[in-house]
Structures are given as structure tokens and as C-alpha cells.
Amino acid sequence: MATDQASMRTPGGRSERYAFAVLALLCFVYVLNFLDRQLLSILAKPIQDDLGISDGQLGLLGGLYFALFYCILAVPVAWLADRSNRVRVLTIACALWSAATIACGMAHTYPQLAIARMSVGIGEAGGVPPSYSIISDYFPASRRGTALGLFNLGPPIGQALGVAFGAMIAAAYDWRLAFLLLGGAGLVAAAAVWALVREPKRGATDAPVLHAATADPAEEAVSFWTTLRMFATRPTLALVSLAAAATQFVTYGTMGFTTLFLMREKAMTLDEIAIWYALVLGVGVSAGIFLSGRLTDRFAARAPQVFGLLPGLALALAVPFFIGFVHAPTWPVALAFLAVPTFLNYFYLTPAVTLVQNSVSARQRTLAGAVLLLVMNLVGLGLGPTWVGAASDWFHPAHPHNSLQLAFYSLIPFYLIAIALHLALARRLKRDGIVQPLQP
């Protein structure tokens, strides 16, 4: 694959148009990535009815079982991507998780489904970190927040399409068919990435510096422990990772059971889910992620505390509406309340990714992105749905008709933890000053 990106910084030029085309394709792959990941929670009710699994077992499938492989393998995969062709790594990963998604649709027992979900996690470990790094080498630091914000529209679009597509297929045919069709689409997307995306030169869009770093860039790229120590010893990186992890505990815990909650405790049907819940997800999360990226680009250069202050304030505003969603007596009222935290809960993602990508050298970006995702997803994705599912099972004997409602209430303290960590990050950034991208 070609690596010549000589005119990458030419505004409005052919290279810029190609950069946006690459961004669009990578965003599409991310849509499929997240759709594969969330289809289990979207189809929770028919899967439970077919396989006879509990809320706790469902939480483990979408949480700990998936996250252990997804998070742990993301680090060695990122290490490989920093030393090799990132486009090739992404292509193989996309093909692998798509094949595993097909296997989910062929599962007939809980152990078979568990193994298939673990395999999806193995494949998806190679999806996001290489994409972060590729995008960061196609867009300069001044526009990286917007570019990464557009890329991060993948999750909300994937969620919305997953709800609409998965619910409609399950209602009209069978939940298994949704997995089979989605896996097939992923295999086509993997071929498109391989054929159309050129591997960019590392650091192609970084501003030149007068004095290069004395360290060997190749050594930077291969040292996972150096990157991990950097996250542990640099307060900014440690705080942004923990703040994002606490936020994801809430978002993944909620998202993993919202469809089941609306159907079982608010009496929504699959057809209603496919229209109204899909609309709330698609509009709310997309708007939150995109707007946070734009605001970050606008204010971060002169007020670096925005990386922590913006998501912290958004989460504080979301709390009363989240309580209203859980307490609402009917599903239309519940969805009206849910629209607000769906918008505000995702103000953390683009600032977190942009801050990390801007704070490390070009040859560390894939691995640094993987370490960020390791912390975020091991805590948020691994423990959030697991917590909610276990709490629902614990409440069920005494409260069989509203066990998920009580489990959702137990997420409120984690909201407060996430707010406190983001405000601590804002104070640290205000003290340290403007975040300057390191050079390769």
C-alpha cells in the first residue's frame, strides 16, 4: 500500500478530500464494530426467551466476558500496529469480528454464545486504536478534535441502526438472522478497507519542530511499558483515563439493559423500539459526540481545562434526567427523559481521545489509544453491564416487576464519581497549561 502523504496539509486539496473519504470509511467500519458489539443488548429479550438466560448471564455476555478479551488484546494489537501497517491490522480485525458475529447467530446454547461473544471481543480489539492513529496522521492537531468527533459518531450511529435493524429483523423473522446479515456486511467492509485506505506516514500532519527528541522513535513505538508508565505517572493521562472509565461504567451499564428495561418494565414492543428508541439514540448520542468535538477544538487552545470541565458539567446536568427516565411510569415519558442524558453522557469521549492523541508522540498514538481504551473498557464495558445484570438478579426475588429499575438507580453514585474525576482533570489542566502535541 502506498505511504506517500506529501500534500496532506494542503487545505482543500485532493489529499484533504481523500482524508475525509478515509475518515468516512473508518467511521463506517466503527459503525459496524459498535453494531456488532451492541446487537446482543438490543436483542436481549428474544435471546433470553430462546436460550433461557438470566439478567446476570446477559450482563456477563455483554460485559466481562466480552471486555476481558477486547481490552487485554487491544494492547498487543496496538503494539503490533505501531510497528507495522495499521491498515492491514484493521482489515484483519474487521474480518475476524464479523466472522465471530456470524457465529453468534449460529449459537444454540449459552456456552456457544459466550464463546462467540469472546471471539467478537478478540476481533474488535484491533478496530479502534489503529483507526485513532490513522486519523491523527490524516488531520492536523488543530482539526483533530473535529475529525475524531466525526469518527466517534460510529457508536451512536451503530446503536441507532442496531436498534432499528435488529428489532425489525427480530420482529419480522428471527434474532439469529440479524447477526448473520451484520457479519456478512462486516466482511465486505474489511475488503473495502484493504482496497481503498492508504497507510499514512506517521506524524504526517504534526507541526515541525526545531529540536527533535533525542529518543529513538522506533524504541518509543515498541515499548508498551514506557507508554503504560507514562499513563501511570502523568496525572493528566491517569485522570482522563479514570474519568472516562467511570463515565463508561454508567453509559455501558445503561445501554446494555435499556432495551430490555423498556420492553419488560415499560411495555414497549420491538416495533416501537425500532422507531422511537433508535431515534433517541441516533440523534442524542451523535449530537453529543459531535458538539463536544467542536467545542473542544474551539476552546482547548486557550482554555485546556475544557477537556475535563465540559464532560463534567454535562454529566452533572444529566443526572436528574436519568432519574426521571428510570422513574417514569410509561415508555413515552421515559424516552423523553432519556433523550437528555443520551445527549449529555457522551460529552466525555471526544475530549478524552483528543487529549490523549495530542499528548503523545506520533509513534505512540496507537498504543496510547489502546491503553486509554484498556482502562475505559475494562472498567466501563467490563463491569458496567455486569454490575447492572447482577444487581437486577439480586433485586429480582423481592422486586420481580421492577428489578432493572432498582439496578439502574444503583448507577447514580458512579455518575458522581465520574463528575468528580472530570473536575479534578480540569483543575490539573488549568494548572499545567495548554496541551502541546509531542513530536515523533
Side-chain angles (χ1 to χ4, degrees):
M1 293 200 178
T3 59
D4 182 15
Q5 304 293 328
S7 61
M8 184 62 65
R9 302 190 198 99
T10 305
R14 182 177 180 181
S15 63
E16 186 179 26
R17 291 193 295 272
Y18 178 73
F20 276 101
V22 168
L23 177 62
L25 179 55
L26 294 184
C27 184
F28 176 69
V29 173
Y30 199 11
V31 167
L32 294 178
N33 177 304
F34 218 82
L35 214 166
D36 285 352
R37 191 185 311 176
Q38 296 305 315
L39 201 56
L40 181 73
S41 63
I42 294 163
L43 300 177
K45 187 67 167 58
I47 291 173
Q48 279 190 327
D49 292 343
D50 190 4
L51 301 184
I53 61 179
S54 69
D55 288 353
Q57 289 176 312
L58 189 67
L60 286 170
L61 282 176
L64 191 60
Y65 291 165
F66 177 90
L68 281 177
F69 287 88
Y70 175 73
C71 297
I72 293 172
L73 287 176
V75 173
V77 169
W79 174 88
L80 177 63
D82 268 337
R83 285 180 54 84
S84 62
N85 187 298
R86 292 163 290 181
V87 174
R88 185 180 298 118
V89 171
L90 177 60
T91 300
I92 294 171
C94 183
L96 178 57
W97 84 59
S98 300
T101 299
I102 293 174
C104 290
M106 300 172 68
H108 290 277
T109 66
Y110 180 74
Q112 290 174 353
L113 186 57
I115 293 171
R117 291 306 296 171
M118 293 175 189
S119 300
V120 173
I122 293 171
E124 291 192 7
V128 179
S131 297
Y132 282 158
S133 181
I134 292 169
I135 292 167
S136 295
D137 284 334
Y138 271 106
F139 292 89
S142 61
R143 301 172 64 187
R144 203 166 285 152
T146 298
L148 289 170
L150 288 169
F151 174 72
N152 282 326
L153 293 178
I157 295 172
Q159 291 172 43
L161 289 178
V163 170
F165 167 79
M168 285 190 295
I169 293 295
Y173 300 100
D174 182 74
W175 65 267
R176 300 178 189 279
L177 182 60
F179 283 98
L180 297 176
L181 292 176
L182 184 59
L187 294 176
V188 174
V193 170
W194 176 252
L196 300 176
V197 178
R198 299 195 300 267
E199 174 75 4
K201 179 181 177 181
R202 297 181 193 272
T205 58
D206 288 336
V209 291
L210 295 176
H211 303 288
T214 56
D216 182 2
E219 290 299 318
E220 248 184 68
V222 302
S223 178
F224 161 68
W225 296 110
T226 298
T227 305
L228 192 61
R229 282 195 299 271
M230 180 175 64
F231 270 76
T233 58
R234 289 177 59 179
T236 297
L237 293 179
L239 281 170
V240 72
S241 302
L242 293 174
T247 307
Q248 285 204 163
F249 191 101
V250 175
T251 59
Y252 275 116
T254 303
M255 186 167 50
F257 286 91
T258 294
T259 300
L260 186 60
F261 175 64
L262 290 171
M263 292 183 67
R264 197 166 72 191
E265 299 188 16
K266 305 297 182 184
M268 281 190 82
T269 65
L270 274 174
D271 290 332
E272 290 166 340
I273 289 283
I275 298 172
W276 300 110
Y277 181 43
L279 185 63
V280 168
L281 279 178
V283 175
V285 182
S286 298
I289 288 177
F290 181 73
L291 180 59
S292 64
R294 297 287 292 181
L295 292 174
T296 299
D297 276 350
R298 181 173 182 180
F299 296 109
R302 59 181 182 271
Q305 62 269 28
V306 74
F307 285 104
L309 190 60
L310 182 64
L313 291 177
L315 289 170
L317 291 173
V319 172
F321 291 93
F322 176 78
I323 295 172
F325 155 66
V326 178
H327 185 71
T330 63
W331 70 260
V333 178
L335 279 183
F337 275 107
L338 181 61
V340 178
T342 298
F343 171 66
L344 295 172
N345 281 356
Y346 290 87
F347 270 55
Y348 78 97
L349 184 57
T350 300
V353 173
T354 305
L355 178 60
V356 170
Q357 293 292 299
N358 282 358
S359 300
V360 302
S361 68
R363 294 194 66 88
Q364 286 181 301
R365 281 179 181 146
T366 307
L367 192 51
V371 173
L372 173 66
L373 290 174
L374 172 67
V375 178
M376 287 183 359
N377 289 324
L378 199 57
V379 174
L381 177 58
L383 300 181
T386 304
W387 169 276
V388 174
S392 180
D393 279 356
W394 189 81
F395 286 122
H396 189 267
H399 305 275
H401 301 297
N402 64 332
S403 61
L404 270 176
Q405 180 187 51
L406 298 175
F408 276 160
Y409 280 132
S410 72
L411 290 174
I412 295 172
F414 296 97
Y415 257 115
L416 303 181
I417 293 171
I419 293 167
L421 286 169
H422 275 109
L423 295 180
L425 172 64
R427 288 194 297 270
R428 184 76 193 195
L429 289 168
K430 184 177 182 179
R431 191 185 78 176
D432 291 348
I434 296 174
V435 178
Q436 295 287 357
L438 299 179
Q439 303 302 322

